Amino acid sequence: MNRIFYIGDSTVQFNKIDTYPQTGMSQVLELYTAEHVRVIPHGKNGRSTKSFLDEGRFVPVQQMLSRGDYLFIQFGHNDEKPDASRHTDPYGSYQDNLRFFLREAKRVGAYPVLITPIARRIFDAEGTFRPGSHGEYPNAMREVGKQEGVPVADLTALTEDYLARLGDEASKPLYVWPVDNTHLKPEGAIRMAGFLCEELARFGAPYADLLYKPEGGDSVTSDK
């Protein structure tokens, strides 16, 4: 049994009926993974790398994480927030916190994966997609991945490109629109998890070995 511990914010969180139709990527990831893979969600709405650590939410992961496990790390939406309880500097405390997660994974022989935040659904009055809603945080994460030799699933780049091609109207069913343009509906979570799995396939073994492969077929990922 391979275990994926998936930490992050609302885009990761496993939701119950009280927050429906909000759906986190951890809820649907097993649609794409092999039968020997178990996804263990630890995402929480509104958390940044700072508040996730300060609230002790990483402690149970540290206690369970062991050799051969995977640690998926997806933060950025709330590290941008200005309040003192969540804000991090992209090239300071944000990177420091990411490196802490990586060290803890490597210490026990687990495989860490950095995942840049998925794009917010922001279009202007003319219906043109507006990229860059996460500022420098995606690039700061890419930098850490390069420096630490850890694979980076660049969902920011993939989802920004996808939303730009999909367009304003066609992208609405993926998000909890018109309530907001950040949280995902089931359709959106499935699509975004598919992009993540495309990245895992690109990384090759052992990451690609996590993916479901139908008989006689390739790994199943999202339909672009």
Side-chain angles (χ1 to χ4, degrees), residues 41-57:
H42 281 271
K44 188 64 178 175
N45 272 29
R47 270 51 180 192
S48 66
T49 57
K50 181 181 187 303
S51 59
F52 195 85
L53 287 168
D54 288 348
E55 295 173 8
R57 294 183 180 276

Side-chain angles (χ1 to χ4, degrees), residues 43-159:
K44 188 64 178 175
N45 272 29
R47 270 51 180 192
S48 66
T49 57
K50 181 181 187 303
S51 59
F52 195 85
L53 287 168
D54 288 348
E55 295 173 8
R57 294 183 180 276
F58 191 55
V59 172
V61 178
Q62 289 174 288
Q63 293 171 341
M64 292 185 289
L65 196 64
S66 62
R67 180 172 297 277
D69 288 335
Y70 295 78
L71 178 64
F72 286 10
I73 304 159
Q74 183 172 327
F75 288 98
H77 277 81
N78 300 301
D79 286 80
E80 311 160 10
K81 300 295 175 65
D83 54 285
S85 64
R86 293 185 291 180
H87 182 75
T88 61
D89 180 81
Y91 294 104
S93 50
Y94 179 64
Q95 290 187 323
D96 293 341
N97 294 339
L98 293 177
R99 289 191 178 96
F100 176 76
F101 294 135
L102 299 182
R103 285 197 303 271
E104 288 300 291
K106 292 178 178 179
R107 180 179 61 82
V108 298
Y111 300 102
V113 176
L114 293 170
I115 306 168
T116 61
I118 64 170
R120 289 189 173 91
R121 186 193 160 278
I122 300 177
F123 289 82
D124 64 20
E126 286 71 44
T128 301
F129 177 70
R130 309 299 295 177
S133 63
H134 297 301
E136 287 298 309
Y137 290 89
N139 192 57
M141 180 180 281
R142 296 179 193 115
E143 185 175 274
V144 170
K146 183 176 181 179
Q147 292 170 348
E148 301 294 331
V150 170
V152 179
D154 198 348
L155 294 199
T156 302
L158 287 171
T159 58

